[in-house]
Amino acid sequence: MPLADVSQAHWRALRLHARSLLGLELADDDLQRFASFARMLLDWNQRLNLTGITDPAEIVIKHFLDSLTLMRAGASFEGLRLIDVGTGAGFPGLVIAMLFPGCEATLLDATVKKLRFIEGACAELGIHNVRCVHARAEDAGRQRAHRERYDIVTARAVAPMPALMEYTLPLAKPGGQVIAMRGKDAHEEIAEAARAITMLGGELFQIEEVQLPGLANPRYLAIIDKSKATPRRYPRKAGLPTREPLL
Ligand code: SAH
């Protein structure tokens, strides 16, 4: 596949959309870092199959702008410990880490090749606030190093809501938040996960609607407060949250 480059015009469009949609002023440095990362993503994607989105305009909107919509949940991530569950090629977690150098970001995925890509990209771009963890979320959620250690837990396109709650809520500190990025059926999905949220120590705080430019359907941030400690029996062993979701 030929290597389409994401042009200056696409990044200028990102700056305008970030301003109007999120009130976010992206600096030249931010855009340059995003552009370098996008170039590496497209380059490595030819060998590694990191993302299905390869059209430059779509990369800017569906990967970068969509990741930035997390700012609808909080004006700044500076000083926070964030974990992005099922980060894939780094969306949304790496974009947030690039924008907030004082955000300590852990990018977790069960597929090691995507993490190797992220590590390579971070080394080349001089990004020092990111660490990659190769694990299943269900295993990380039982480990002392990760359980209830994070202020913010993010996830996009990883699992149905009830299973996703079992992946993410155990990782959030009491007082922290899970932000699940969902598609057009968010309201039904969240209703379906209501019991799981309560059982895992969470409480639905807010559903934020986001309309990305040029896309027919809105997207949603399901923002869930971690109000109580997660009972010790959760998460259950790897595979169970999807096979036998808490309903
Ligand atoms: N968040 C990225 C990638 C989505 S693809 C994006 O939106 O572009 C889903 C990713 O979740 C895959 O990389 C897969 O390896 C990971 N994943 C799925 N289930 C997981 C689990 N139980 N633990 C850790 N990672 C998981």
Side-chain angles (χ1 to χ4, degrees), residues 63 84-89 91-92 108-111 114 135-138 156-158 167:
H63 277 335
D84 187 25
V85 170
T87 194
F91 302 103
L108 178 128
D109 206 284
T111 306
K114 298 183 182 179
R136 303 219 14 165
E138 306 92 308
R156 185 181 81 159
V158 176
Y167 292 172

Side-chain angles (χ1 to χ4, degrees), residues 75-101:
S76 173
F77 290 85
E78 209 62 45
L80 298 182
R81 281 175 60 102
L82 175 149
I83 184 166
D84 187 25
V85 170
T87 194
F91 302 103
L94 182 57
V95 177
I96 295 297
M98 286 195 266
L99 198 59
F100 297 103

Side-chain angles (χ1 to χ4, degrees), residues 65-231:
L65 185 62
D66 194 41
S67 296
L68 292 172
T69 65
L70 284 177
M71 297 194 59
R72 283 278 184 87
S76 173
F77 290 85
E78 209 62 45
L80 298 182
R81 281 175 60 102
L82 175 149
I83 184 166
D84 187 25
V85 170
T87 194
F91 302 103
L94 182 57
V95 177
I96 295 297
M98 286 195 266
L99 198 59
F100 297 103
C103 169
E104 234 181 275
T106 299
L107 306 181
L108 178 128
D109 206 284
T111 306
V112 78
K113 70 171 183 182
K114 298 183 182 179
L115 299 177
R116 294 292 97 88
F117 159 70
I118 293 173
E119 283 169 346
C122 286
E124 206 163 316
L125 296 174
I127 296 170
H128 302 298
N129 57 328
V130 166
R131 74 169 166 169
C132 289
V133 173
H134 177 217
R136 303 219 14 165
E138 306 92 308
D139 297 327
R142 305 193 72 90
Q143 292 163 5
R144 275 184 53 165
H146 299 293
R147 185 180 176 89
E148 306 202 317
R149 297 275 184 186
Y150 298 93
D151 302 298
I152 304 283
V153 187
T154 58
R156 185 181 81 159
V158 176
M161 270 298 273
L164 188 69
M165 293 300 98
E166 198 167 344
Y167 292 172
T168 54
L169 273 166
L171 297 166
K173 292 178 184 167
Q177 279 184 330
V178 171
I179 312 172
M181 307 180 78
R182 309 302 301 183
K184 65 176 169 39
D185 300 324
H187 284 91
E188 294 86 327
E189 294 172 349
I190 293 161
E192 196 196 6
R195 213 170 102 80
I197 291 172
T198 314
M199 287 168 81
L200 294 158
E203 201 176 312
L204 178 64
F205 169 64
Q206 197 184 329
I207 304 173
E208 184 71 29
E209 182 176 325
V210 186
Q211 182 64 58
L212 291 182
L215 300 196
N217 292 316
R219 301 186 174 207
Y220 298 88
L221 304 179
I223 307 168
I224 294 132
D225 283 336
K226 175 79 175 258
S227 46
K228 295 199 285 267
T230 298

